């Protein structure tokens, strides 16, 4: 691939990325969409986050983990702390603290 082809490809990819990201930002009014789609899109961020976090909690190298996994108890402790205090920083500290205590203290 020549230098010109690499340059043109890079510029083309940048323009396509800019257009895709600006699609939702350019219109001044809300995009017309059905109410069911608008309601469903409200849950898209939490669904995406769950899809990333859940496999990390319950899978180890593609197999289901056992209950002797510090990650599960760390996540449960963080969830309980968040339900109690609604503090993001405290949730991270609590979950990480429980996970590290189990990992280094108990050896899980």
């Amino acid at each position: 691939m020549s230098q010109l082809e690499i340059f043109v490809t890079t510029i083309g990819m940048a323009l396509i990325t800019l257009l895709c990201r600006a699609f939702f930002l350019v219109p001044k009014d809300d995009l017309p969409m059905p109410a069911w789609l608008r309601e469903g899109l409200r849950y898209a961020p939490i669904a995406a986050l769950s899809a990333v976090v859940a496999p990390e909690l319950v899978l180890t190298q593609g197999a289901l983990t056992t209950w002797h996994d510090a990650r599960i108890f760390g996540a449960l402790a963080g969830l309980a702390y968040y339900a109690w205090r609604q503090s993001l920083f405290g949730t991270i500290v609590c979950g990480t603290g429980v996970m590290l205590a189990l990992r280094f203290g108990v050896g899980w």
Side-chain angles (χ1 to χ4, degrees):
M1 190 176 256
S2 69
Q3 296 291 329
L4 180 62
E5 289 173 333
I6 292 172
F7 178 75
V8 170
T9 302
T10 303
I11 295 298
M13 290 172 29
L15 287 175
I16 289 172
T17 301
L18 180 66
L19 285 174
C20 291
R21 293 185 178 198
F23 178 71
F24 294 104
L25 301 176
V26 171
K28 292 188 180 201
D29 297 328
D30 287 341
L31 293 174
M33 63 179 71
W36 61 267
L37 180 59
R38 185 178 303 275
E39 182 69 18
L41 287 175
R42 288 183 49 215
Y43 300 103
I46 191 67
L49 186 61
S50 299
V52 170
V53 171
E56 289 295 321
L57 288 177
V58 299
L59 295 176
T60 301
Q61 296 184 358
L64 285 176
T65 184
T66 63
W67 66 273
H68 291 282
D69 195 334
R71 295 176 301 176
I72 295 173
F73 289 97
L76 290 175
L79 183 64
Y81 186 87
Y82 185 80
W84 177 43
R85 304 293 281 187
Q86 285 89 32
S87 166
L88 183 61
F89 182 71
T91 301
I92 294 170
V93 169
C94 180
T96 304
V98 168
M99 185 189 75
L100 291 177
L102 289 174
R103 184 160 290 174
F104 294 119
V106 182
W108 287 1

